Amino acid sequence: MQIVHTIAQLRQQLGGFKRPAFVPTMGNLHEGHIALVRQARPLGDVTVSSIFVNRLQFAPHEDFDSYPRTLDADARRLEAAGCDVLFAPREKDLYPEPQTFKVHPATDLSDMLEGHFRPGFFIGVSTVVMKLFSCVFAGVPGGVAAFGKKDYQQVMVVRRMVQQFALPIEILAGETQRAEDGLALSSRNSYLTAAERQEAVHLSQALRALGETARAAAGVPDLSALEAQAMQALARRGWKPDYLTVRRRADLMPPHGPLADQPLVVLGAAKLGNTRLIDNLEI
Ligand code: PAF
């Protein structure tokens, strides 16, 4: 596996290939990222991953400085998974001058849920993903890029961006990988203390319970009431929930009418101690 740091080096490595399979990451890789690499690899003629902790998607009070940076271990895992090229730009390589042109996703999709609790987050994500896409895919007829479904809204924002800008890039959404007890794998799990790690599984359990209660309710359930109860139950366990909510998979809006046969997803975000976790379940 070649490790490159600059855009010029990356483009040189990719010269001659026609269909990159790309897995963008912020590093501190876990099995979820590696599964994406394995899934994307057969879909392209060269497999590329990036590791870049993108300052633009962090608010000033968030964990940009403490975000785990484990480049050597990550590189070993990527190589073992069959990645051909690792793009690990320093900030000055990707943003040699301040990024003053930015991608602003449509507010209907990006101002709710994560976008509501992390204002500007999807502008930062869309901008860096667009920039990484232009580094990896410029000059090729097309390619594939893989993202994990744990960041459900992020996948939808990226898909919409690709569609709106007519980028010839297929978006692959990989299933969330979970620990044995059901906790969704996340780089931020490493922030949890041993006691918090034991407690952490209750987020996915709360999502499952909310989904089952909503599905089991007859007629048109009062989702706001069910969601409020689910949040209160988590709060009683010591969590600070931002949201637990049942949404339509198509557009992440609240469902109308009877839930039967509507493709739904239950999404949640909550803080446990100092760590903010997110998860979701399609129901
Ligand atoms: O999901 C992530 O790790 C990041 O948001 C991404 C897509 C690599 C952009 O920085």
Side-chain angles (χ1 to χ4, degrees):
M1 183 179 73
Q2 294 297 322
I3 304 179
V4 295
H5 300 288
T6 68
I7 298 174
Q9 289 166 345
L10 175 69
R11 291 199 169 136
Q12 199 187 1
Q13 281 299 324
L14 296 183
F17 292 103
K18 290 196 166 54
R19 188 175 161 80
F22 177 43
V23 183
T25 81
M26 296 206 300
N28 195 234
L29 303 183
H30 50 68
E31 206 38 50
H33 299 108
I34 299 304
L36 290 179
V37 172
R38 293 211 180 92
Q39 266 181 280
R41 195 165 168 251
L43 306 177
D45 58 359
V46 59
T47 308
V48 189
S49 187
S50 63
I51 293 181
F52 181 68
V53 184
N54 173 41
R55 189 187 290 274
L56 293 186
Q57 69 192 71
F58 289 80
H61 65 277
E62 290 183 339
D63 54 342
F64 174 77
D65 288 327
S66 57
Y67 199 86
R69 288 158 172 88
T70 50
L71 185 61
D72 292 344
D74 292 345
R76 284 194 293 274
R77 295 196 74 171
L78 286 171
E79 182 157 35
C83 182
D84 301 304
V85 182
L86 167 57
F87 180 40
R90 292 151 293 209
E91 265 193 300
K92 66 179 169 53
D93 297 316
L94 202 63
Y95 300 129
E97 54 189 71
Q99 184 73 31
T100 49
F101 280 57
K102 295 193 177 148
V103 179
H104 288 248
T107 51
D108 61 339
L109 185 55
S110 69
D111 279 7
M112 62 166 108
L113 305 175
E114 283 306 282
H116 176 76
F117 287 95
R118 304 184 67 189
F121 172 69
F122 286 117
I123 296 173
V125 168
S126 306
T127 302
V128 79
V129 170
M130 183 63 124
K131 189 145 190 179
L132 291 167
F133 281 180
S134 89
C135 298
V136 172
F137 296 109
V140 295
V144 55
F147 295 81
K149 271 198 199 173
K150 187 178 79 69
D151 296 287
Y152 204 88
Q153 194 177 3
Q154 170 172 279
V155 178
M156 293 184 67
V157 168
V158 171
R159 274 196 204 282
R160 186 90 73 87
M161 179 178 84
V162 162
Q163 181 207 340
Q164 288 249 320
F165 287 107
L167 304 177
I169 300 166
E170 184 192 325
I171 301 300
L172 173 81
E175 292 303 324
T176 301
Q177 304 294 311
R178 296 182 181 278
E180 252 174 49
D181 64 354
L183 173 68
L185 297 190
S186 162
S187 303
R188 289 189 168 99
N189 292 351
S190 64
Y191 298 153
L192 299 169
T193 64
E196 288 168 350
R197 171 61 191 84
Q198 283 214 314
E199 172 62 27
V201 66
H202 285 277
L203 178 59
S204 65
Q205 288 179 359
L207 294 176
R208 186 171 302 282
L210 173 58
E212 282 169 3
T213 316
R215 279 278 187 223
V220 181
D222 181 352
L223 283 180
S224 309
L226 297 180
E227 291 168 0
Q229 282 163 19
M231 287 174 64
Q232 282 154 14
L234 259 194
R236 280 195 297 274
R237 302 190 62 89
W239 294 70
K240 290 199 187 75
D242 282 343
Y243 59 86
L244 265 73
T245 184
V246 180
R247 297 294 171 107
R248 301 196 295 224
R249 281 188 221 171
D251 55 10
L252 297 188
M253 295 300 280
H256 298 301
L259 301 187
D261 301 332
Q262 293 195 50
L264 301 172
V265 55
V266 191
L267 304 113
K271 250 182 133 182
L272 183 57
N274 292 324
T275 307
R276 186 173 182 277
L277 299 177
I278 65 170
D279 198 356
N280 63 80
L281 287 175
E282 289 178 332
I283 58 165

